[in-house]
Amino acid sequence: MTMNGHHTVNIANSNRHPNDDDHHALPPSSDHDDDEQELVDPDDPFDITQTKNVSHDTLRRWRQAALVLNASRRFRYTLDLRKEEEKEQKKHLIRAHAQVIRAALLFRLAGERELVISTAVSPPTPVGDYDIGLEQLVSMSKDQNISALQQYGGIRGLSNLIKSNPDKGISGDDADLLKRKNAFGTNTYPRKKGRSFWRFLWEAWQDLTLIILIIAAAVSLALGIKTEGLAEGWYDGGSIAFAVLLVIVVTAVSDYRQSLQFQNLNAEKQNIQLEVIRGGRTIKISIFDIVVGDVIPLKIGDQVPADGVLITGHSLAIDESSMTGESKIVHKDHKTPFFMSGCKVADGVGVMLVTGVGINTEWGLLMASISEDTGEETPLQVRLNGVATFIGVVGLTVAVLVLAVLLGRYFSGHTKDIDGNVEFVAGKTSVSNAVDDVIKIFTIAVTIVVVAVPEGLPLAVTLTLAYSMRKMMADKALVRRLSACETMGSATTICSDKTGTLTLNQMTVVEAYVGSTKVYSPDDSSKLHPKALSLINEGIAQNTTGNVFVPKDGGETEVSGSPTEKAILKWAVKLGMDFDVIRSNSTVLHVFPFNSEKKRGGVALKLGDSGVHIHWKGAAEIVLGTCTQYLDSDGQLQSIEEEKGFFKDAIDDMAARSLRCVAIAYRSYELDKVPSSEQDLDQWSLPEHELVLLAIVGIKDPCRPGVKDAVKVCTDAGVKVRMVTGDNLQTAKAIALECGILASIEDAVEPNIIEGKKFRELSEKEREDIAKKITVMGRSSPNDKLLLVQALRKGGEVVAVTGDGTNDAPALHEADIGLSMGIQGTEVAKESSDIIILDDNFASVVKVVRWGRSVYANIQKFIQFQLTVNVAALVINVVAAITSGDVPLNAVQLLWVNLIMDTLGALALATEPPTDRLMHRSPVGRRFGLIGFLSKQFNIYGTLNTILISTKTSMHMYTWFLYLILVNV
């Protein structure tokens, strides 16, 4: 890596106050870019407090500002900008190739008649057990050839060719899966092999200072053997060579192990779990287990896992920017039915049939052609590189000074040997002896440079982050962005979702109001009028993204879907709902998928008698507001105006007992008012007024065990927990009190608790003023969450945010640390996040905070240890060189010190697990004072104490090396 000659390093900013107003880089769409620039010191290339979403130019700036003799070693754990640019170029080429093929195809088809097109497609050719071959399938998918699909008999005909069923999928037994993998391939792609150990060994000795030492050792060895003979003359040169070799091997082993850890983490990130339909049953499998013929339900936020064809879809829109490079949303219907692997579902719901997997897709080709770079910047890493550069310059100056003093004393005759004889006498000392002595002096100077330049500082950051990442996996947290571990240690507030994070996400209907009657035993259908029961079952069965599977052998009924959907479906099954029969009795005309902004979802059904029913389901008070009538206990329509107060009180009563309230409503509609064309139907807005209320259900979702303790740990650690939920404010308040987020009922007043609508209506200045006081936000939309994050960050807070929905992506992107949910989170949310909480548990979020603080604690120990030894070694040699003309620590001893300091020291001190004491301190702040810390705690006793406490497995190694040094000294 080329470095320019700018040597000035300003580390004053390392010592700023933790509460300085310093915001991270915002997304391009943010209005705060200009403000952000003002917070960064343009004269200090190492003043980078945020590496999330930062440009390559900013990262390049600090590299080019450093005077580094051993850049390849120093920067080996940071992002390789050149490789990143090459990767982007490869992506661009593959995307451009795909676009050219597609454009040429469209151009050709546009000039041909449909008759000619249809005759141009060759009939399907049977291959093996299937009636169509791999090449024909791949050609149809990649070329998005609608004519070929039509010739194969449409979606039904194609599914028959590959022995699948659009409704029930493939059988999914082992023999069937094996046949499909052999015939059509697997959903994997050849990964580029990671670097071998020998490559790391080669790279480890590409350090300029080590190369100089190897040359010096070789010359010293040759001169020693020449002057003193083989028996005695190999000591100095051989010892230096052995020490350098050991440093290289230890560095290579450390780097290689690090590389393997990152590879494992990357593989875990790519192992997406998704739902497929096999044998009529909805099951969850790994993305790598998908085969051609699989039927896959798609919903907003999902990643399209393979190439495929649309079976059914409603308002289905796909973001194809990952493949085309253009931020364009493409709507999918039976005119444009083809899916490209790797794209994201931007809106709507649908079902697809897989036609191409793995390397037979453009996404597979793209992923096979690029390798995942495991390097990444972190703010602490950048700042420590600044410190290392500064110390390196000091060390180089000291080395030059020692070299000049020793050479001056030597050639002026002031250097004496052990017997007191002058080593150099002009005209008498032989050239070979003089060269030998000069090489020894030069070797000492070079070794001082090796010891002085603390490559171990940035290395220690990476080691402790990688160690934390590995251990956090055991604590159910998958780190997607390395810097998030570090930033989490600075977090001052956590904005958490309620459902699934603070609660168990195990929902059950425990209370119901049907009409104006409270049903005390909600599972007892005998209390319900047949008309009301029929309409409730129809609405639940059709207005859902879940599924009910009844095994033919009479086994237990299986219900799938989101937790809320499952709770309502299970309730309906207990009421006697026959899911498959009800769905077959009507046809879905149009679907309005559940929307987190409107808090409801709807469906239009065409009945057997040509009537139309429109069913809605969603947040109780919102659906209630759109109702004008309700169905009473006799199945008669009644005006709701007189009973609205009763229903509102019922909702408040259930919400106060921490129940989630969902209302179910419907209305009749005339068929001739429904748009007849597919295009108009897709744009049709479902009528959402003049509804008839059918039922209000109360769903219990218990608090997670231990969440109250986790919240208390955060509070004691100075981290404020805020609940941001789409639920009713009363439900949110009840859960907040139960979890300990609200200390008492007296705290449950504005602005401590606030509705999202009220918050968003405030001015920007008012939002900033009120944001720090907010503890609970109910009925919030994803945009409300984003506004809260922005307001908190402007107030100087370091914000961690949890999110699971696609619409949470902006808030996850904007926050200092985005935490997505591994179970309920969509792929879009996960890709926008920094850490994935695998068990959706708030207690795991608190563990992440502990690990983040551990990073800082470990770095403190390592800096304290390294700089103490560093300064001691330099001062001893400089003072001795100037006063006596000799150095007490020779090249071999200094190399041992370097080995302990840089590599073994980093390994031992960087892998200290977190302690409970860390959670009794205040957050360290966005700009942690590295140098300020040293000024308070820089003492040899503290260093020895730190070593003794933090080294466990490495203790014997340290003792042995320290013993060797002391013996030699």
Side-chain angles (χ1 to χ4, degrees):
M1 195 174 296
T2 306
M3 297 289 157
N4 66 21
H6 298 296
H7 305 164
T8 305
V9 180
N10 178 9
I11 58 170
N13 286 319
S14 297
N15 208 18
R16 291 189 187 177
H17 193 274
N19 293 325
D20 283 357
D21 184 20
D22 169 35
H23 305 306
H24 288 193
L26 299 174
S29 59
S30 173
D31 299 328
H32 307 96
D33 287 349
D34 294 335
D35 298 338
E36 192 67 34
Q37 293 299 322
E38 292 172 9
L39 296 168
V40 177
D41 184 355
D43 297 324
D44 184 5
F46 299 100
D47 185 22
I48 297 175
T49 58
Q50 164 69 318
T51 57
K52 181 180 177 180
N53 314 317
V54 79
S55 69
H56 283 184
D57 290 338
T58 307
L59 299 180
R60 194 176 284 110
R61 189 168 68 102
W62 73 263
R63 288 170 169 80
Q64 294 176 339
L67 174 66
V68 180
L69 293 176
N70 49 353
S72 63
R73 187 175 180 206
R74 170 84 71 81
F75 301 128
R76 67 189 187 275
Y77 280 123
T78 54
L79 190 67
D80 190 326
L81 298 181
R82 183 176 56 81
K83 282 187 178 178
E84 278 294 293
E85 286 165 3
E86 286 176 0
K87 187 162 80 173
E88 287 304 314
Q89 287 172 359
K90 280 184 180 178
K91 280 186 180 179
H92 178 73
L93 282 172
I94 290 174
R95 285 169 176 164
H97 180 252
Q99 291 296 86
V100 166
I101 290 174
R102 199 161 288 117
L105 180 77
L106 292 173
F107 183 76
R108 178 173 64 82
L109 293 181
E112 297 177 359
R113 293 186 177 275
E114 195 171 335
L115 180 64
V116 177
I117 298 169
S118 62
T119 55
V121 179
S122 58
T125 308
V127 176
D129 294 313
Y130 302 96
D131 296 327
I132 188 170
L134 172 63
E135 287 185 14
Q136 287 178 305
L137 267 182
V138 170
S139 174
M140 179 192 70
S141 297
K142 283 191 176 180
D143 297 341
Q144 302 205 352
N145 193 336
I146 191 77
S147 302
L149 178 61
Q150 288 169 354
Q151 180 151 332
Y152 299 154
I155 193 67
R156 289 278 170 189
L158 180 63
S159 60
N160 289 334
L161 293 175
I162 55 177
K163 297 191 176 175
S164 181
N165 184 303
D167 301 315
K168 296 186 176 181
I170 61 174
S171 64
D173 58 70
D174 291 341
D176 182 39
L177 293 175
L178 185 61
K179 283 180 187 176
R180 291 178 185 278
K181 287 176 182 177
N182 290 335
F184 304 113
T186 60
N187 201 30
T188 56
Y189 48 86
R191 300 178 191 275
K192 288 198 170 182
K193 282 188 177 180
R195 289 179 293 177
S196 66
F197 173 72
W198 302 109
R199 176 71 184 273
F200 281 106
L201 203 61
W202 171 260
E203 289 178 356
W205 84 275
Q206 300 300 305
D207 184 336
L208 179 61
T209 50
L210 291 180
I211 291 171
I212 293 171
L213 282 175
I214 291 169
I215 294 169
V219 175
S220 177
L221 186 65
L223 289 173
I225 292 171
K226 179 186 171 186
T227 54
E228 299 178 34
L230 181 61
E232 300 287 337
W234 68 271
Y235 289 157
D236 281 352
S239 298
I240 294 170
F242 177 71
V244 170
L245 185 65
L246 195 59
V247 169
I248 290 170
V249 170
V250 171
T251 302
V253 169
S254 171
D255 289 359
Y256 180 60
R257 289 187 62 203
Q258 199 76 353
S259 170
L260 293 178
Q261 283 182 26
F262 281 126
Q263 283 178 33
N264 292 336
L265 285 168
N266 283 332
E268 193 68 35
K269 280 190 277 187
Q270 292 164 356
N271 186 18
I272 298 167
Q273 299 293 313
L274 74 167
E275 289 185 340
V276 300
I277 298 171
R278 288 182 177 173
R281 176 190 276 119
T282 303
I283 59 171
K284 267 202 169 184
I285 63 169
S286 165
I287 190 171
F288 302 127
D289 295 330
I290 285 171
V291 293
V292 168
D294 265 327
V295 172
I296 301 177
L298 297 173
K299 59 183 182 298
I300 184 169
D302 285 351
Q303 177 174 316
V304 178
D307 282 2
V309 182
L310 177 71
I311 297 174
T312 60
H314 300 281
S315 308
L316 192 59
I318 305 294
D319 178 4
E320 295 186 347
S321 58
S322 58
M323 281 309 303
T324 63
E326 299 173 10
S327 296
K328 186 180 176 184
I329 304 299
V330 180
H331 291 273
K332 295 294 177 183
D333 52 32
H334 292 294
K335 293 179 183 175
T336 55
F338 293 99
F339 293 96
M340 284 194 292
S341 178
C343 300
K344 303 290 188 301
V345 180
D347 197 9
V349 291
V351 182
M352 69 173 276
L353 176 71
V354 175
T355 58
V357 292
I359 203 69
N360 298 315
T361 68
E362 285 174 5
W363 178 254
L365 288 172
L366 179 66
M367 297 308 290
S369 66
I370 59 177
S371 57
E372 186 90 14
D373 190 359
T374 54
E376 189 201 332
E377 317 294 306
T378 79
L380 189 56
Q381 197 176 38
V382 173
R383 289 166 60 200
L384 284 175
N385 264 300
V387 176
T389 299
F390 174 76
I391 296 169
V393 171
V394 172
L396 188 61
T397 306
V398 169
V400 171
L401 178 65
V402 169
L403 180 65
V405 169
L406 291 180
L407 287 176
R409 291 182 66 94
Y410 179 78
F411 286 112
S412 62
H414 289 84
T415 303
K416 298 179 181 180
D417 59 19
I418 299 171
D419 300 324
N421 300 319
V422 175
E423 289 193 350
F424 180 81
V425 179
K428 292 184 179 179
T429 304
S430 67
V431 174
S432 64
N433 285 340
V435 169
D436 190 16
D437 291 337
V438 168
I439 285 173
K440 286 179 181 178
I441 292 169
F442 183 72
T443 303
I444 289 168
V446 172
T447 310
I448 286 174
V449 175
V450 173
V451 176
V453 178
E455 297 92 349
L457 283 179
L459 168 63
V461 180
T462 310
L463 283 173
T464 192
L465 288 173
Y467 173 76
S468 300
M469 285 172 75
R470 187 161 45 91
K471 291 294 185 181
M472 283 162 71
M473 275 293 289
D475 284 340
K476 304 298 180 186
L478 171 62
V479 178
R480 296 189 72 255
R481 191 170 282 110
L482 197 62
S483 57
C485 293
E486 177 186 308
T487 313
M488 202 65 184
S490 307
T492 59
T493 184
I494 300 171
C495 297
S496 174
D497 284 337
K498 176 186 77 69
T499 306
T501 309
L502 298 169
T503 62
L504 282 169
N505 223 1
Q506 294 173 1
M507 300 193 187
T508 315
V509 173
V510 295
E511 203 163 300
Y513 285 81
V514 179
S516 58
T517 306
K518 182 176 181 178
V519 183
Y520 287 95
S521 179
D523 302 343
D524 186 1
S525 61
S526 64
K527 304 282 178 65
L528 307 182
H529 191 275
K531 182 179 179 182
L533 183 61
S534 173
L535 287 168
I536 288 169
N537 284 341
E538 181 182 86
I540 291 173
Q542 290 286 22
N543 188 16
T544 183
T545 54
N547 189 34
V548 177
F549 175 75
V550 182
K552 291 179 181 177
D553 57 7
E556 189 177 343
T557 301
E558 296 175 17
V559 179
S560 60
S562 70
T564 307
E565 294 279 15
K566 282 166 71 174
I568 295 172
L569 284 169
K570 284 178 181 177
W571 176 60
V573 168
K574 288 176 181 176
L575 291 176
M577 175 188 73
D578 191 324
F579 186 78
D580 292 329
V581 170
I582 291 173
R583 285 174 76 96
S584 64
N585 287 341
S586 56
T587 307
V588 175
L589 295 174
H590 187 57
V591 173
F592 180 85
F594 179 84
N595 184 300
S596 53
E597 292 286 344
K598 289 198 168 187
K599 307 290 182 192
R600 59 188 182 272
V603 62
L605 306 175
K606 181 183 175 184
L607 307 177
D609 59 1
S610 297
V612 174
H613 280 173
I614 295 169
H615 287 273
W616 285 94
K617 179 178 70 186
E621 71 271 23
I622 293 175
V623 173
L624 180 63
T626 62
C627 292
T628 56
Q629 295 176 299
Y630 71 95
L631 210 61
D632 67 14
S633 56
D634 297 324
Q636 300 300 312
L637 291 176
Q638 303 290 344
S639 173
I640 205 169
E641 291 306 315
E642 293 180 4
E643 297 292 340
K644 242 177 187 176
F646 166 79
F647 288 120
K648 284 180 180 177
D649 290 342
I651 292 168
D652 288 342
D653 174 59
M654 287 193 284
R657 288 180 284 120
S658 69
L659 301 185
R660 167 176 277 194
C661 302
V662 176
I664 300 165
Y666 95 108
R667 65 166 292 174
S668 297
Y669 205 67
E670 295 78 29
L671 184 60
D672 54 4
K673 289 185 180 179
V674 178
S676 53
S677 71
E678 189 176 352
Q679 188 173 356
D680 291 339
L681 195 60
D682 277 343
Q683 304 300 319
W684 183 41
S685 295
L686 284 182
E688 54 188 10
H689 296 287
E690 298 180 13
L691 304 183
V692 177
L693 181 68
L694 296 174
I696 299 173
V697 296
I699 302 173
K700 181 68 177 174
D701 185 13
C703 261
R704 282 185 180 273
V707 77
K708 192 168 186 175
D709 294 336
V711 170
K712 187 177 184 305
V713 167
C714 279
T715 306
D716 293 343
V719 181
K720 184 173 177 65
V721 180
R722 305 169 202 269
M723 182 198 291
V724 185
T725 177
D727 263 357
N728 181 304
L729 191 58
Q730 296 303 317
T731 307
K733 182 176 79 172
I735 291 287
L737 285 166
E738 195 177 338
C739 294
I741 293 173
L742 285 172
S744 64
I745 194 71
E746 287 76 25
D747 293 335
V749 293
E750 279 197 23
N752 291 346
I753 65 170
I754 193 170
E755 277 205 348
K757 182 182 178 184
K758 191 171 286 188
F759 180 71
R760 89 178 73 112
E761 288 171 351
L762 298 172
S763 67
E764 190 173 335
K765 182 70 174 68
E766 288 172 328
R767 285 200 297 268
E768 285 178 40
D769 294 338
I770 207 173
K772 284 199 173 185
K773 300 174 184 175
I774 294 173
T775 305
V776 176
M777 186 185 287
R779 281 291 176 243
S780 68
S781 69
N783 192 53
D784 297 332
K785 188 185 282 190
L786 175 61
L787 292 172
L788 178 63
V789 170
Q790 289 174 337
L792 287 169
R793 293 185 73 238
K794 278 189 174 181
E797 300 277 357
V798 180
V799 186
V801 168
T802 70
D804 53 13
T806 301
N807 293 332
D808 287 328
L812 292 168
H813 186 276
E814 177 82 2
D816 297 286
I817 313 104
L819 303 157
S820 64
M821 300 296 109
I823 299 171
Q824 292 302 317
T826 64
E827 287 309 311
V828 172
K830 289 175 186 175
E831 289 203 0
S832 298
S833 68
D834 307 301
I835 297 173
I836 300 172
I837 305 300
L838 298 173
D839 61 354
D840 292 14
N841 192 343
F842 184 77
S844 299
V845 176
V846 179
K847 288 175 185 175
V848 172
V849 176
R850 289 177 86 239
W851 280 107
R853 293 189 174 193
S854 174
V855 169
Y856 280 98
N858 291 346
I859 296 306
Q860 285 176 351
K861 294 171 188 174
F862 182 70
I863 292 175
Q864 189 179 350
F865 167 60
Q866 183 166 47
L867 293 193
T868 304
V869 180
N870 198 302
V871 171
L874 288 177
V875 169
I876 288 169
N877 272 17
V878 171
V879 172
I882 293 172
T883 55
S884 67
D886 199 3
V887 286
L889 296 173
N890 61 30
V892 178
Q893 292 160 347
L894 284 172
L895 281 169
W896 283 117
V897 171
N898 182 69
L899 179 67
I900 292 172
M901 271 174 20
D902 270 358
T903 310
L904 297 177
L907 275 170
L909 295 170
T911 53
E912 174 76 359
T915 61
D916 291 335
R917 285 181 303 163
L918 292 172
M919 297 304 283
H920 295 293
R921 303 176 186 173
S922 297
V924 294
R926 202 188 299 270
R927 289 176 178 272
F928 177 66
L930 295 171
I931 305 301
F933 169 79
L934 292 175
S935 65
K936 294 178 185 176
Q937 303 194 38
F938 190 78
N939 62 78
I940 189 68
Y941 301 108
T943 301
L944 291 173
N945 187 49
T946 301
I947 297 168
L948 289 170
I949 291 170
S950 60
T951 52
K952 290 181 172 63
T953 56
S954 302
M955 189 61 206
H956 296 299
M957 193 179 296
Y958 271 137
T959 307
W960 175 243
F961 282 125
L962 288 170
Y963 169 75
L964 284 176
I965 291 168
L966 291 171
V967 168
N968 283 320
V969 171

